[in-house]
Amino acid sequence: MREGAGGEHGVGLTSFRRFTWWTVPGTSVCLLVLFYGEWLLDPDVPVRLRVPAAGALVVDVVASAVLLGGRLTPPAAADGAPPVRLPRVWTAVAVAATVVLAVLPLARRNYELWAVAPAVTVAICAAHLGPRHRRTLIVGAVLLALLPGGAVSLAAGDGELAHAALFPAGLVAFTVWMVLGPLWAWNIAGRLDRARRLEAESAVKDERLRFAADLHDIQGHHLQVIALKSELAARLVERDPARAAAEMREVRQLSADALRDTRAVVRGYRRTTLDDEIANAGKVLAAAGIDARTALEPASLPADLTDTGRHLLGLVMREATTNVLRHSRARYAEVDCRVVDGRVRLRMTNDGADGQPAGTDGTGLTALDERLRAAQGELTWHLDGDRFEVTASLPLGPGSERSEPGSRDAHDGASEPHAGDPHHHASEPRGRDPRDRTKGAAR
């Protein structure tokens, strides 16, 4: 789900990545800057300690941002596998800066501050490891955090042993939880997005296999009989020309039957209605991470709208949906279908239009406009900034019964997105109303 219609991710995953970036690297960097910044500004801290600490803080902030930002790549396919190998150079830089930021405050018996940088570094390293090594690192780091503060407190005899030992251990555990929680959610989101795309691809493949099986059943039978009768006619052409001619007439009839049956299969495969396409559009747009809203008034289409009208408006709905998927970076889309002055009006609006000019080769919206006009309807489209709107209308009653010239379901001009397949490549939509009703470019 990226910020648009195609690409590696959809809208939701890109937005979630941005949220996770601000949650994990952003929070970690702010934690370092706020805690160590206050310490650096303390006039009681000698300059000889503040200067190296300030340098180490800058280095650690940059290294932490780079390491955590690189962690937010597409999650690995295998459960539990580290998504990105831990960069050695940046890790070494972060560890060196962490040592400086830990030793200097600890030398002044600041039992709270010294563990902040080590806690962040441990969390970063844990985020790049697999489950088994991650658990080992976390448990070891929590136990090890008990020692430095406790040792300094014992040596100083300040009576703060419990605080000096337990607070750093708790801070390490809390920081690791704060970092790994959102990253775990990021991994789950990536796997769900990958599963959604695989499901969509599987649905398309299943539909293609179904169509191929139907076509094979029809064509296989007819072609087998045609081959046999043609072979028989070739053998009889010299001995019994009359029978050979009769066989060839049957071959011609079988060929006509095969063509008719093939067209029937394709027609049944491509035939669509507005009701189905509105439902299909909701599934497709949702699968692409687009907020789709539908308004139907009345809730069901009038009975006066003929099958031809439903089919034509369904083609418009299909083409408009394809345009949203292929030629925009839409976040939301609105579908509105209602009866106005004895006509059914279908309107689809979306944001994120890229303003791509349309061609003039007679497909897409231009071809659909011609077909709607033949049925006494109209189709207009308009681009206003990044907002694109397609509006189609057809009359109710006998006027919509007229079959549009050149209408062949097997060769519909509209492209056909499939439910659950937001990356389906359909025919290019066209961009100009031939009657100059609108001047906006279609996508």
Side-chain angles (χ1 to χ4, degrees), residues 90-282:
W90 282 108
T91 304
V93 170
V95 169
T98 297
V99 171
V100 175
L101 292 175
V103 171
L104 296 181
L106 188 59
R108 293 185 58 83
R109 290 186 293 174
N110 192 326
Y111 300 127
E112 294 87 6
L113 181 62
W114 79 265
V116 173
V120 172
T121 302
V122 169
I124 292 174
C125 295
H128 288 78
L129 298 177
R132 184 168 60 87
H133 296 92
R134 181 184 304 144
R135 287 191 294 269
T136 301
L137 174 64
I138 294 172
V139 172
V142 171
L143 294 177
L144 186 62
L146 298 170
L147 302 179
V152 172
S153 178
L154 283 176
D158 53 14
E160 297 187 16
L161 176 61
H163 174 73
L166 296 179
F167 183 85
L171 181 62
V172 170
F174 174 77
T175 305
V176 169
W177 173 80
M178 182 191 69
V179 170
L180 294 187
L183 292 179
W184 173 82
W186 163 250
N187 278 349
I188 296 300
R191 291 181 185 127
L192 290 175
D193 181 69
R194 193 162 47 248
R196 177 194 58 78
R197 288 186 281 111
L198 290 175
E199 182 181 8
E201 294 173 4
S202 178
V204 174
K205 291 178 181 178
D206 290 343
E207 181 64 13
R208 289 173 179 169
L209 289 174
R210 183 197 67 79
F211 178 72
D214 291 346
L215 196 60
H216 175 269
D217 291 343
I218 292 174
Q219 293 282 33
H221 170 74
H222 285 298
L223 292 176
Q224 182 67 26
V225 177
I226 288 172
L228 292 174
K229 285 189 172 293
S230 298
E231 182 181 356
L232 178 60
R235 293 177 181 177
L236 295 174
V237 68
E238 293 182 358
R239 291 184 307 177
D240 193 346
R243 186 178 174 189
E247 294 292 341
M248 290 309 298
R249 284 193 293 271
E250 290 191 26
V251 167
R252 183 180 64 181
Q253 183 60 44
L254 286 169
S255 300
D257 293 344
L259 182 59
R260 184 186 66 251
D261 292 345
T262 300
R263 286 175 175 170
V265 170
V266 175
R267 185 178 299 114
Y269 180 71
R270 294 294 300 274
R271 192 73 182 178
T272 186
T273 66
L274 178 58
D275 313 65
D276 294 337
E277 286 304 319
I278 289 178
N280 182 57

Side-chain angles (χ1 to χ4, degrees), residues 2-7 284-285 288 290 318-330 348 350-357 363-364 388 413-418 421-430 442-443:
R2 69 171 178 80
E3 300 282 14
V284 172
L285 296 175
I290 299 172
R318 177 187 294 173
E319 182 68 22
T321 303
T322 301
N323 287 349
V324 174
L325 296 173
R326 296 195 65 200
H327 303 291
S328 76
R329 298 187 298 274
M348 184 168 185
N350 65 275
D351 67 341
D354 59 14
Q356 175 181 343
T363 60
F388 189 77
S415 52
E416 181 177 359
H418 295 268
D421 184 16
H423 306 291
H424 178 76
H425 294 286
S427 63
E428 292 292 336
R430 301 301 141 207
R443 298 152 295 161

Side-chain angles (χ1 to χ4, degrees), residues 389-413:
E389 179 178 287
V390 178
T391 304
S393 66
L394 277 175
L396 295 172
S400 60
E401 290 282 2
R402 184 183 305 177
S403 177
E404 69 276 12
S407 172
R408 295 188 302 271
D409 290 325
H411 305 282
D412 287 330

Side-chain angles (χ1 to χ4, degrees), residues 340-399:
V340 180
D341 297 331
R343 300 174 69 89
V344 177
R345 186 193 69 190
L346 172 67
R347 176 179 296 162
M348 184 168 185
T349 308
N350 65 275
D351 67 341
D354 59 14
Q356 175 181 343
T360 57
D361 56 357
T363 60
L365 294 176
T366 301
L368 286 175
D369 173 72
E370 296 173 357
R371 297 180 64 174
L372 262 74
R373 280 190 292 146
Q376 299 184 357
E378 65 176 355
L379 176 65
T380 60
W381 53 94
H382 179 65
L383 179 65
D384 182 11
D386 72 339
R387 184 177 181 272
F388 189 77
E389 179 178 287
V390 178
T391 304
S393 66
L394 277 175
L396 295 172

Side-chain angles (χ1 to χ4, degrees), residues 14-48:
T14 299
S15 300
F16 188 53
R17 184 184 189 277
R18 185 181 299 114
F19 168 78
T20 307
W21 197 97
W22 285 109
T23 301
V24 180
T27 302
S28 300
V29 167
C30 289
L31 188 69
L32 291 170
V33 172
L34 289 177
F35 278 86
Y36 284 97
E38 182 183 5
W39 188 73
L40 292 174
L41 296 177
D42 187 352
D44 293 336
V45 179
V47 176
R48 60 185 176 81

